[in-house]
Amino acid sequence: GDFGGDFAGGFDDTNNDSNNDTGNNDQNNDGFGSNNDGPNNNSPNNEPEEPFIPEPEEVFNFLAPQPSRNYVFVANSDLDTVAKIDADTLEITSIEVGDNPTVVRTWKETNVAVVLNEGSSDVSIIHADPLRDDVVTLPIREGFNQIVMAPGGRHALAYLNYAAIEDGEEEIGRFQDVNLIRLVNGDEAVFNVAVGFRVLEIEFDDDGERAFVVTEDGISIIDMENVDDDINAQPVPVTDDPLEDALAVDREVEITGDGRLALVRSSVLEGLNVISLDGQGQLVQVTLDGIPTDLDIYPDSTSALAVVKNARQVVTLDLADVVEDPETVNVIDVPEGPLGLAALDVTSGTALLYSTATVEPRITRLDINTGDQTTWDIRKGLAGVHLSPDASRAVLFHVKGDAPRTDNESDVFIAQSWAYSVLDTRSGFVKLQTAPTEPGEFVFTDDSQTMFVILNDPANGVRQVDRINLQSFRVDPIVLGSPPEHIGILPSSDTPRVYVSQEHPVGRMTFITIEDGDAKTVTGYELNSRID
């Protein structure tokens, strides 16, 4: 996947294990996790020394609005329309689509949008243009509630995300179907693909040519450019135990960007499974000294990093020869400090090590090449860590209600407050910022100079966006007229801005100039309203 500076995320307490429209989102370590005394290498007679405790990671919500190259698209379910907002002029165009549009997907380098119309069980493909918007609507299977867009914007996949079904909603039994949607102008089409049982997530290779549908019983591979009819994509197993219950264990599946390998960690495996996705799906096991709690693949697909919490180790793998030589690993002992998750900085060859399973107010910088480690005090326990695009800064999201450091009034206040911190990853200098509510979605600018984060608590009148200067560490709150819902970077624009959609009866979006924080608001997507 390609987040870059357009990366926007936010905390979500639900076990949403799908919703992966970027191709790089992992299975998230809080999905179906449990305190599991899982067997060693799937053997029922050899238990690990300590029980496996998963390391929760936030699940992200990447719903509308969605930016394309020149526009921002927002679905209006009540009016069966999509609002197209010009990124430069802020002009609004209303585009009619199918019944009850719910999900819009775009690709940042094109002006194509695909819209899931749940009420009419079809998709509307929009080819946007300043003079005319061409719309092609095609039927899909009934009951789908999610779409993901492939890199390059030539294909999308629609499917049923079971984790998103709310209580009381009817379940349509599309357990093993996805629809491949071809988005090419003049050659639009929909094909049905039979896959493994129940889709957990969908990833793509970097070129956007192959899709990897992760299911309970393996990975179904779709060569999207060569599909011209309905097909079946029988899954490649990701474990040598055909009876392993994917929903009962903490399982994470990562695909290399070149689409060559899949790596799998699981709470019932003391090591990693590596599956070749070219050819016969060969599976080998990389034996480690414990159950990994985190797994990351380098963006260039050359290496992988795993955290083995109970063994106090960080392990790196050379992926070039891992299938032929699975025993060759580089082990780094981490005798002190928090351990469970890692934020990987490939530019400097370092990783930030931390834990969300404990409230330990520390973070460790590990030099992967030398093994050198430096641990820094960060004053509060962690809920998540995110690196800026150039990795020179990390934004740390903290838990609320951890134990105060002292009985001092200010320490008690900090412990009882939501907060986030900005960390200089080179020097260890950290600035703690208390917040009036739990931080929500956020976005970094491409140049790593600025970050924006949503703070929304309607019950207490909190509706703001914090603008964070990542160089000076200055924080400026921007108060909004309505509760904020989603935030993102505007596409191609004369003036760099972010957009913040808000909860409002007729639709409201605020555009904030990155350089100076100046805000303009559009109210009434469907009413041709004014710019405030």
Side-chain angles (χ1 to χ4, degrees):
D2 184 5
F3 290 110
D6 292 343
F7 179 91
F11 296 123
D12 186 339
D13 292 332
T14 60
N15 285 336
N16 184 344
D17 58 351
S18 298
N19 203 20
N20 292 323
D21 59 323
T22 64
N24 190 36
N25 288 8
D26 56 26
Q27 178 117 354
N28 297 298
N29 296 340
D30 62 344
F32 313 108
S34 61
N35 292 350
N36 193 322
D37 295 335
N40 176 16
N41 288 330
N42 297 329
S43 170
N45 299 317
N46 191 355
E47 295 185 356
E49 294 181 359
E50 298 183 45
F52 178 81
I53 301 176
E55 285 282 337
E57 290 188 272
E58 320 84 290
V59 182
F60 299 110
N61 183 2
F62 289 97
L63 298 178
Q66 291 283 296
S68 70
R69 187 177 67 217
N70 299 106
Y71 305 102
V72 177
F73 295 88
V74 187
N76 190 321
S77 298
D78 295 331
L79 296 180
D80 300 336
T81 60
V82 170
K84 182 191 76 174
I85 304 174
D86 189 291
D88 293 318
T89 67
L90 306 188
E91 178 184 359
I92 303 171
T93 303
S94 182
I95 303 172
E96 294 185 4
V97 292
D99 181 32
N100 188 29
T102 55
V103 181
V104 181
R105 292 289 179 252
T106 58
W107 181 248
K108 63 182 181 180
E109 296 174 1
T110 73
N111 283 326
V112 178
V114 58
V115 185
L116 174 62
N117 307 307
E118 289 194 37
S120 48
S121 297
D122 52 33
V123 290
S124 294
I125 303 167
I126 302 171
H127 300 283
D129 186 85
L131 301 179
R132 175 182 175 180
D133 299 309
D134 291 328
V135 181
V136 176
T137 298
L138 300 172
I140 60 172
R141 304 302 298 272
E142 183 181 3
F144 289 164
N145 61 2
Q146 186 57 273
I147 288 183
V148 290
M149 176 80 84
R154 290 175 54 85
H155 296 92
L157 289 171
Y159 66 100
L160 177 58
N161 174 13
Y162 283 84
I165 297 176
E166 298 180 357
D167 292 340
E169 286 187 339
E170 179 182 359
E171 287 195 28
I172 306 286
R174 302 295 180 206
F175 294 97
Q176 294 184 249
D177 287 324
V178 301
N179 279 180
L180 173 63
I181 307 162
R182 190 162 61 207
L183 305 174
V184 179
N185 198 354
D187 195 25
E188 298 89 347
V190 174
F191 306 105
N192 194 76
V193 182
V195 298
F197 185 76
R198 188 177 285 135
V199 177
L200 301 178
E201 62 172 318
I202 297 177
E203 300 188 29
F204 301 95
D205 63 10
D206 291 339
D207 295 330
E209 296 179 354
R210 289 199 293 171
F212 304 91
V213 183
V214 180
T215 66
E216 290 187 27
D217 46 10
I219 302 172
S220 292
I221 305 171
I222 306 173
D223 188 355
M224 296 181 291
E225 293 289 342
N226 294 322
V227 174
D228 288 309
D229 202 350
D230 295 346
I231 62 170
N232 75 78
Q234 299 178 27
V236 176
V238 297
T239 173
D240 59 6
D241 179 4
L243 301 180
E244 181 177 297
D245 186 351
L247 301 187
V249 301
D250 176 42
R251 179 194 286 178
E252 178 180 4
V253 179
E254 295 286 350
I255 311 292
T256 57
D258 59 12
R260 189 173 64 92
L261 299 173
L263 276 70
V264 181
R265 68 158 193 87
S266 166
S267 58
V268 294
L269 177 64
E270 288 196 351
L272 299 170
N273 284 341
V274 181
I275 302 96
S276 174
L277 300 178
D278 295 326
Q280 301 302 313
Q282 180 182 358
L283 185 154
V284 299
Q285 290 186 352
V286 177
T287 302
L288 302 177
D289 290 339
I291 298 174
T293 51
D294 197 18
L295 172 64
D296 292 287
I297 294 177
Y298 284 56
D300 63 3
S301 302
T302 61
S303 304
L305 179 147
V307 177
V308 187
K309 180 177 180 178
N310 286 349
R312 303 292 308 179
Q313 294 174 346
V314 170
V315 176
T316 59
L317 294 77
D318 184 345
L319 298 183
D321 301 314
V322 66
V323 175
E324 291 75 21
D325 186 14
E327 301 304 318
T328 302
V329 297
N330 178 42
V331 177
I332 304 172
D333 292 321
V334 184
E336 299 179 350
L339 191 63
L341 298 172
L344 182 62
D345 173 17
V346 296
T347 60
S348 65
T350 63
L352 294 177
L353 308 179
Y354 63 100
S355 174
T356 60
T358 67
V359 291
E360 193 172 0
R362 294 186 294 168
I363 194 167
T364 297
R365 183 178 188 265
L366 167 67
D367 188 311
I368 298 170
N369 298 317
T370 66
D372 293 341
Q373 298 161 38
T374 305
T375 299
W376 296 314
D377 180 8
I378 54 172
R379 299 183 181 86
K380 278 181 71 66
L382 284 168
V385 174
H386 301 278
L387 293 171
S388 63
D390 68 0
S392 66
R393 302 289 186 265
V395 176
L396 319 177
F397 292 98
H398 297 288
V399 297
K400 178 184 178 181
D402 48 345
R405 297 163 68 92
T406 70
D407 293 334
N408 183 283
E409 184 177 348
S410 61
D411 285 340
V412 172
F413 172 78
I414 290 171
Q416 295 175 349
S417 298
W418 293 107
Y420 59 86
S421 294
V422 182
L423 171 72
D424 184 325
T425 60
R426 309 306 191 244
S427 70
F429 174 73
V430 62
K431 179 185 177 182
L432 177 72
Q433 177 75 31
T434 59
T437 189
E438 182 178 12
E441 291 185 3
F442 59 90
V443 64
F444 290 105
T445 56
D446 287 325
D447 58 10
S448 297
Q449 298 292 305
T450 315
M451 175 185 170
F452 295 81
V453 60
I454 282 177
L455 298 170
N456 179 27
D457 183 2
N460 293 300
V462 179
R463 49 176 189 265
Q464 71 187 52
V465 173
D466 279 3
R467 176 176 174 267
I468 306 162
N469 186 312
L470 295 176
Q471 303 309 305
S472 68
F473 289 22
R474 171 172 171 161
V475 177
D476 291 303
I478 300 171
V479 178
L480 302 171
S482 304
E485 294 183 315
H486 303 286
I487 190 169
I489 292 281
L490 272 172
S492 175
S493 179
D494 295 332
T495 304
R497 289 180 292 233
V498 301
Y499 60 83
V500 185
S501 64
Q502 296 154 66
E503 183 180 345
H504 192 275
V506 295
R508 174 171 285 173
M509 187 175 295
T510 296
F511 298 88
I512 303 172
T513 304
I514 292 172
E515 184 176 353
D516 58 14
D518 182 52
K520 294 183 178 180
T521 299
V522 175
T523 301
Y525 299 147
E526 308 298 338
L527 303 178
N528 195 26
S529 188
R530 66 188 182 280
I531 297 176
D532 297 332

